[in-house]
Amino acid sequence: MSVGAWEAFFLVILREMRLSFRRPEQLLQPLVFFLIVTTLFPLGLNLQLSLLRDMAPGVLWVAALLSSLLSLDSLFKGDADDGTLEQLTLSGQSLTVIVAAKTVAHWLVTGIALVVVSPVVGTALGIPTSAFATMMLSLALGTLTLSWLGAIGAGLTIGVRRGNVLLSLIVLPLAMPLLIFGAGATDRAMSGTSVAGALYFLAALCVFTCTLAPFAATAALRITVE
Amino acid sequence: MWTWFYKLASPPYVYGVAAALMPWFLGFAAIAIGYGLIGGLVFAPPDYQQGDAFRIIYVHVPSAWMSEFVYTTMAVAGAIALIWRIKVGFAVAGASAPIGASFTLLALVTGSMWGKPMWGTYWAWDPRLTSELILLFLYVGVMSLRSAFEDPARGDRAAALLAIVGAVNIPIIHYSVVWWNSLHQAATVAKLGKPSIEGSMLWPLLSMFVGFMLFHGAVLCLRLQGEVLNRERQSAWVREAINS
Amino acid sequence: MATAPDGLAVEQVHVWRGDRHVLQGVSIDVHPRELVHISGPNGSGKTTLLRVISGLLRPEQGSVRWQGQSIVRSRTQYQAALAYAAHEPALKGDLTALENMRFAVGLKRRTSASELQAALDRTGAGGCADLPARVLSAGQRRRVSLARVLAMRASVWLLDEPYANLDAAGSAVVSQMLQDHVRDGGLALVVAHRDLSLDCAVRRLELKP
């Protein structure tokens, strides 16, 4: 009658999804933040569409990184505050499975949403439709990797006051390769040069992180919770 | 063999060794840095392209090397402490972080001082300097995380884990910054470091490197003594060491 | 060879909080069909001891063994046999009582909604099953968290202040639960300030500050 690892994985994903959709405003906030930040750039710069287009991939990616970081803070914090994290830890399931499920659920809810609205932002910033596929693929890979990096950071900052600032401080330097290759891929797609190199590198980074980060995030949780 | 290992890592032993080694490190560091400075600043000929401005490499390059070396030390010490539960490892990691951050800052400052005559600006997003800047952010993250916890033992372990994650990422960061630079910048701009170098220029540089290494050893020993004393302040041997 | 030891063995557990020595060498053996009442003044380490026994907290010295094996080594088997109810009820405010039960118990064993509902009925929280936990009163939340303990069907119960926030009827339910559990071969460690007046043998562990 014991519960297998996959069953537990999907049960935790279901739990996280249900919790997110009970609070739709919390789902929308990172998206609105994403839109606002991308609006700031054209307002802060002079409105030359050619200039804007040159900066578009960078602006889009910086905004995407910041907005998904925003929601990562609460990845474990809510559960730690109300005591349900203890129940999850003592559930008899491997903590790594639970951490993996929570992180994947976070990406399904925030990362995918960013990918879906990115064409709107891309259009506003003057990114041509021909580059949308690359942009969305790179964003999907990048946000998944960032969710994993953020899971490590969120695990490390659970017991800390004002942990969200610290979370950004420790995760953003680690996320710079994502920004470089993600924006790079979009940039190359816009100029019509080959995007394969940058996308392959992003994909490799994603696989690498998905393999190692679950264990690092579990170790982080054990350090701060035990 | 393991008992020997644990004895080696026991706080009183480490404290004694650090205290004994410190003056030696400091003495030899003074000799090596002295030779390097005189050789580099006085006897080495000026560079045919860069003139006297190149002489900043005698400080810049060794501190850039040290910044990465110290980060590695910190991550390895943290890993040893986490895996084998050897608490002195945390003391080494804690003592290393500010030293490494200082070397990184020194490399950044000297690098941008070199940049002014070379590029006409203090900051030109040179890939090495950019990597160095991200390394500084990593150091700051590790130090802030350590001090953010009310329970110091927890801060130690969290910082050690973050240092390990950072160490895995450093090669990736470095490679991606180089890739980014090749994408956005023409290759004609003079890059810092790795010049083809002549003997009279090279020997002082190596001597500076050895000197920096020894100086790091001395400062690490000094800081390590402080860290060990603070961590072991409840135990009997510390009271004896202080009262004697 | 002696028969494999059953039950819990806590051996010389020491825990420091910073410079404060919270648990100073606590040892106790608990066998099936035994109930231990942990008492002591505030700050004497009752909750800390319970967290150590649950495996949430690793002691600096000493060990906890379950059926002869260190609980660090046999984590999965031990946790499958364990139900821990912390002082806070550990409910998600946005989930209903039944959903809370489902996601917590469902990781331990396969259950059905009717079984969970039965556990809620037994602790007198059956009426709250479909209400979000955030609208429940403190007493109702306590009842839900006790129903969760019941539904886990664990042999080791670690309960931190199970009587808190409960009225007379609720307290009677807890006492009945504990008696049934011990009679059916389970073991329990209970942190409580009041005296437990139960129809079964109660051992007492008094912690000094």
Side-chain angles (χ1 to χ4, degrees):
Chain A
M1 287 274 279
S2 68
V3 181
W6 280 109
E7 215 175 319
F9 181 80
F10 288 115
L11 194 67
V12 174
I13 287 197
L14 184 68
R15 170 188 190 265
E16 296 296 308
M17 295 294 229
R18 203 165 279 186
L19 277 170
S20 313
F21 285 101
R22 291 276 153 90
R23 296 247 169 210
E25 72 278 7
Q26 279 181 8
L27 274 182
L28 288 175
Q29 277 164 6
L31 285 183
V32 176
F33 179 84
F34 181 54
L35 294 175
I36 291 179
V37 170
T38 42
T39 316
L40 289 181
F41 281 92
L43 292 178
L45 305 161
N46 59 350
L47 188 63
Q48 270 182 309
L49 217 52
S50 62
L51 190 72
L52 195 60
R53 196 173 298 143
D54 283 348
M55 304 192 57
V59 170
L60 185 96
W61 265 85
V62 169
L65 286 186
L66 291 181
S67 84
S68 47
L69 209 57
L70 211 59
S71 55
L72 270 167
D73 178 44
S74 56
L75 186 57
F76 302 119
K77 199 155 226 159
D79 287 353
D81 288 346
D82 59 24
T84 45
L85 189 61
E86 288 181 347
Q87 292 292 334
L88 290 174
T89 316
L90 296 177
S91 65
Q93 299 295 335
S94 139
L95 190 55
T96 311
V97 169
I98 292 167
V99 167
K102 285 181 74 76
T103 311
V104 170
H106 171 267
W107 178 70
L108 286 175
V109 170
T110 61
I112 297 283
L114 274 184
V115 173
V116 170
V117 299
S118 64
V120 178
V121 175
T123 311
L125 292 173
I127 297 178
T129 13
S130 57
F132 278 5
T134 308
M135 174 186 77
M136 291 169 79
L137 182 59
S138 64
L139 267 179
L141 290 169
T143 47
L144 180 57
T145 315
L146 187 73
S147 288
W148 279 116
L149 291 175
I152 303 176
L156 283 173
T157 53
I158 283 179
V160 173
R161 262 177 288 116
R162 294 166 60 80
N164 52 349
V165 180
L166 191 58
L167 176 71
S168 313
L169 194 69
I170 65 183
V171 172
L172 280 177
L174 301 176
M176 290 205 189
L178 297 179
L179 173 67
I180 290 172
F181 286 102
T186 317
D187 200 39
R188 296 189 138 207
M190 286 167 68
S191 62
T193 40
S194 164
V195 296
L199 280 182
Y200 283 149
F201 198 89
L202 266 183
L205 216 54
C206 187
V207 171
F208 180 70
T209 318
C210 291
T211 324
L212 289 183
F215 301 102
T218 310
L221 263 185
R222 286 207 189 284
I223 286 172
T224 44
V225 172
E226 259 183 10
Chain B
M1 190 212 130
W2 284 105
T3 50
W4 166 82
F5 192 58
Y6 277 99
K7 179 183 174 292
L8 202 71
S10 82
Y13 190 80
V14 168
Y15 179 80
V17 169
L21 285 179
M22 212 279 286
W24 292 96
F25 276 142
L26 206 57
F28 284 113
I31 296 171
I33 292 178
Y35 166 76
L37 279 183
I38 295 170
L41 298 188
V42 181
F43 294 112
D47 186 79
Y48 79 102
Q49 264 186 331
Q50 306 179 5
D52 278 334
F54 96 97
R55 292 182 199 278
I56 198 109
I57 68 162
Y58 290 109
V59 180
H60 172 78
V61 174
S63 42
W65 282 343
M66 290 309 296
S67 65
E68 285 176 19
F69 175 78
V70 177
Y71 196 94
T72 316
T73 317
M74 184 173 78
V76 170
I80 290 173
L82 275 183
I83 296 168
W84 286 290
R85 296 187 165 244
I86 295 173
K87 286 188 177 164
V88 164
F90 291 130
V92 173
S96 294
I99 307 176
S102 311
F103 277 124
T104 316
L105 196 62
L106 189 61
L108 276 173
V109 171
T110 51
S112 60
M113 278 162 64
W114 179 84
K116 185 65 180 165
M118 289 304 116
W119 305 320
T121 168
Y122 285 113
W123 191 258
W125 296 103
D126 169 85
R128 280 162 167 269
L129 285 184
T130 310
S131 295
E132 203 69 27
L133 183 63
I134 299 177
L135 186 63
L136 184 65
F137 294 154
L138 290 177
Y139 271 117
V140 172
V142 170
M143 291 194 290
S144 329
L145 187 64
R146 172 174 289 112
S147 57
F149 287 89
E150 277 166 21
D151 175 11
R154 202 165 283 197
D156 271 337
R157 300 206 288 153
L161 186 71
L162 181 62
I164 297 167
V165 173
V168 173
N169 262 279
I170 284 178
I172 301 173
I173 293 174
H174 187 74
Y175 175 77
S176 52
V177 168
V178 170
W179 185 86
W180 158 78
N181 191 261
S182 69
L183 191 71
H184 289 278
Q185 206 167 29
T188 50
V189 182
K191 298 247 170 77
L192 205 46
K194 280 203 192 138
S196 54
I197 200 163
E198 197 205 321
S200 61
M201 291 174 168
L202 182 63
W203 288 117
L205 182 63
L206 290 179
S207 172
M208 283 302 279
F209 180 61
V210 173
F212 268 50
M213 204 73 160
L214 289 165
F215 179 69
H216 161 244
V219 180
L220 182 63
C221 284
L222 196 65
R223 292 191 56 88
L224 190 57
Q225 289 179 58
E227 287 276 342
V228 170
L229 281 185
N230 188 23
R231 279 151 203 265
E232 297 281 312
R233 60 186 180 275
Q234 294 293 316
S235 55
W237 73 266
V238 170
R239 285 188 202 125
E240 280 168 32
I242 288 174
N243 291 333
S244 65
Chain C
M1 201 182 111
T3 51
D6 51 359
L8 272 173
V10 179
E11 284 158 21
Q12 285 298 319
V13 165
H14 288 263
V15 173
W16 279 266
R17 273 271 175 274
D19 292 340
R20 212 163 70 80
H21 200 165
V22 185
L23 292 181
Q24 312 185 5
V26 178
S27 300
I28 187 168
D29 280 354
V30 193
H31 300 286
R33 296 175 193 283
E34 276 189 337
L35 191 146
V36 176
H37 175 197
I38 304 171
S39 61
N42 291 21
S44 57
K46 302 185 294 292
T47 297
T48 309
L49 178 61
L50 220 52
R51 286 173 61 87
V52 167
I53 298 176
S54 72
L56 283 171
L57 189 73
R58 256 200 218 190
E60 268 91 352
Q61 276 173 37
S63 67
V64 181
R65 293 168 172 279
W66 163 244
Q67 296 183 334
Q69 278 221 316
S70 156
I71 59 166
V72 182
R73 188 90 34 95
S74 61
R75 195 198 300 261
T76 321
Q77 298 95 303
Y78 176 58
Q79 288 183 351
L82 173 77
Y84 170 72
H87 186 51
E88 71 268 28
L91 300 174
K92 279 274 157 208
D94 288 334
L95 298 178
T96 67
L98 199 61
E99 284 171 329
N100 265 298
M101 299 266 290
R102 181 182 167 207
F103 291 125
V105 180
L107 289 173
K108 287 217 177 181
R109 49 185 290 270
R110 296 215 174 93
T111 54
S112 61
S114 58
E115 195 183 339
L116 297 175
Q117 181 68 49
L120 282 170
D121 288 338
R122 211 184 137 197
T123 58
C128 327
D130 294 322
L131 292 176
R134 88 181 100 81
V135 305
L136 301 182
S137 76
Q140 285 170 320
R141 286 161 192 250
R142 177 70 56 199
R143 286 166 191 256
V144 176
S145 89
L146 290 168
R148 185 174 56 208
V149 170
L150 276 178
M152 282 177 181
R153 296 209 183 150
S155 49
V156 179
W157 283 9
L158 305 176
L159 309 183
D160 198 347
E161 299 283 2
Y163 291 99
N165 311 112
L166 287 180
D167 52 16
S171 302
V173 169
V174 179
S175 298
Q176 191 59 47
M177 264 174 71
L178 286 171
Q179 284 166 25
D180 292 349
H181 176 62
V182 172
R183 200 194 49 230
D184 295 345
L187 68 85
L189 287 98
V190 180
V191 169
H193 276 297
R194 46 169 275 177
D195 279 329
L196 303 181
S197 46
L198 301 176
D199 288 340
C200 60
V202 175
R203 280 168 65 197
R204 193 148 180 166
L205 176 67
E206 179 111 21
L207 294 178
K208 307 263 179 303

